[in-house]
Amino acid sequence: MTEYSDYHGPEGLRTRGTILVVPGRGETRATYARFGRRLAADAYRVRVIDAPALDADDPTASLAGFADRLADAVKGTAAEDGVIRPLVLVGADSGAAAIAALLGSAETPGGQPDAVVLAGLPGQAAGTTEAVGTWDEELDVRTSCPAHRGTLTQDSRVRRGSLNDAVPDAVLTAALDSEAAVPALLLIGDADPLADHEALARTAKSLPRARLSVVHGARHDVLNDLQHRSVAAETVTFLETLRNELRPLITVRSSAW
């Protein structure tokens, strides 16, 4: 079995950047097939890796191991002229926490990515035994999208009950206290019961180049919930703005809605 799932842009189009996607608790690479194909359709090189294993007893060592896996995954995407920039790390749930915790350290691949997308960052209290019970209850926490619910249910490698596994406090603290200078897009559902919305707002305001985008009606799996088309559009808009030195490509001068 391969270590990565890869998605390439349409043949003949110039690759616009490299996107590395990191799943969260219980998820598999297959969870992000729809998201990966959608970004690849816009001529981005997308690679999805396995979710990080975060050890509460030794978070420093587990983050270092995760950083090594990130570096190897990035190197494997290199073309003849090297990795196609911008390099953007996209993380969900514990994947987002691990990426955010690494930001600003020498452990990130190549020293720093060009930008990050942090989706569904869990709060400090997330992952308690009261978080979810049955599989149906876990699905209700994750998503209201019938297609995504089906993908999770039919994938035998999805680890059910994983949202009850606490993300190490040291990792969450490092993630929420990150002082990373790279542009960051934070995505959160306003119906996500695992999020600490006030903490996320403070984190976004503390970063020099960050945007906090709240998805109305979305639950924890914000990249794959019912609003996945709009979330993908927000992500691509961020990627395109990043390529334009963070200058918006579209300005609305007049609107009746």
Side-chain angles (χ1 to χ4, degrees), residues 52-63 166-171:
L54 300 175
D55 185 355
D57 293 328
D58 196 350
T60 301
S62 58
L63 282 175
V167 179
D169 280 341
V171 174

Side-chain angles (χ1 to χ4, degrees), residues 12 60 76 96 114 121 123 174 183 227 230 234:
T60 301
D114 296 297
L121 264 173
Q227 306 82 358
S230 296
E234 177 77 358

Side-chain angles (χ1 to χ4, degrees), residues 12 16 40-41 59 72 74 78 82-83 94 105 114 119 131 159 167 178 181 187 240:
R16 299 182 65 75
D72 288 341
V74 170
V83 176
S94 61
S105 76
D114 296 297
R159 189 165 53 85
V167 179
S178 174
L187 291 163
E240 293 297 301

Side-chain angles (χ1 to χ4, degrees), residues 172-196:
L172 288 174
T173 298
L176 293 173
D177 292 345
S178 174
E179 298 179 354
V182 299
L185 171 63
L186 283 68
L187 291 163
I188 197 71
D190 68 357
D192 181 356
L194 303 186
D196 184 336

Side-chain angles (χ1 to χ4, degrees), residues 26 78 87 95 102 104 110 139-140 161 189 229-230 249 253:
L87 167 64
L102 286 176
L139 285 175
D140 287 341
R229 295 174 183 85
S230 296
L249 293 164
R253 292 186 175 179

Side-chain angles (χ1 to χ4, degrees), residues 139-140 142-149 217-219 225-227:
L139 285 175
D140 287 341
R142 287 186 175 277
T143 180
S144 59
C145 175
H148 184 44
R149 291 170 74 101
R219 302 179 189 178
D225 207 359
L226 199 62
Q227 306 82 358

